[in-house]
Amino acid sequence: MNDLTGAYVPGSSPLHRLPAGAKLAGLAVGCTVLVLLPSPAALGGAAAVVGGLYVVSRVGPAAAWAQLRPVRYFVVALFGLQWVFVGPEGAAVTTLRVLLAVALAGLVTLTTRTSAMMAALERCLGPARLAGLDPFRLSLLLSLTVRSVPVIAALAVRVREAQRARGVERSLRAFAVPLVVSSLRHADALGEALIARGLDD
């Protein structure tokens, strides 16, 4: 299912070998720490740590950039708005927090197989049985949601490149319609894969 749903990069680094549950817990702790860091200097240190983790993971710069590329325009807009309302330092702090949180989440995606992530989420969601919910289906939903982000981003990049080749990069319709169609085709392929595994309801 990894080919359909995510950006997992096979490897044997320490981060690849780390249990999925530990990585998800580390992601939660890391994002909490990012929220608590008060200054650009402190977040710069955090950025060095995140960069070091990417080096240790050995996923490659292209895979690392692919995690941040989908949010580049959002980050620019966020920085501009924050500059207006809270000044340059506040804008830098907020923007760095978002970028580093996305980078950390991307690192978990790149180094964790879908099956391992689902198993960890299913264990965490075990108490949901008390409310009549199926932890396996909940974990599948959450995992597919996370995995779909880089897939849709890649589709958007391909559509944008096709727009440029046709000389219609300013047309919103020429971007939105192919993106929606491509996304629906991906959803159909994913649905067929799930049906083949007995998840047809």
Side-chain angles (χ1 to χ4, degrees), residues 176-186:
V177 173
L179 179 59
V180 170
V181 172
S182 299
S183 300
L184 291 175
R185 286 176 178 170
H186 170 72

Side-chain angles (χ1 to χ4, degrees), residues 61-125:
W65 169 239
Q67 307 309 301
L68 297 176
R69 183 175 56 190
V71 299
R72 63 191 186 279
Y73 298 123
F74 168 77
V75 166
V76 171
L78 176 64
F79 183 82
L81 287 173
Q82 290 293 307
W83 184 297
V84 171
F85 290 108
V86 299
E89 182 173 344
V93 167
T94 301
T95 303
L96 282 171
R97 282 173 178 163
V98 171
L99 279 174
L100 293 176
V102 171
L104 282 175
L107 186 59
V108 172
T109 298
L110 291 170
T111 60
T112 310
R113 292 184 181 276
T114 301
S115 56
M117 185 179 292
M118 284 180 55
L121 289 172
E122 187 175 356
R123 288 192 296 271
C124 293
L125 294 169

Side-chain angles (χ1 to χ4, degrees), residues 111-147:
T111 60
T112 310
R113 292 184 181 276
T114 301
S115 56
M117 185 179 292
M118 284 180 55
L121 289 172
E122 187 175 356
R123 288 192 296 271
C124 293
L125 294 169
R129 288 192 178 92
L130 301 176
L133 301 175
D134 185 350
F136 171 76
R137 294 182 182 276
L138 287 175
S139 66
L140 177 63
L141 174 63
L142 291 173
S143 180
L144 291 180
T145 300
V146 172
R147 295 291 187 176

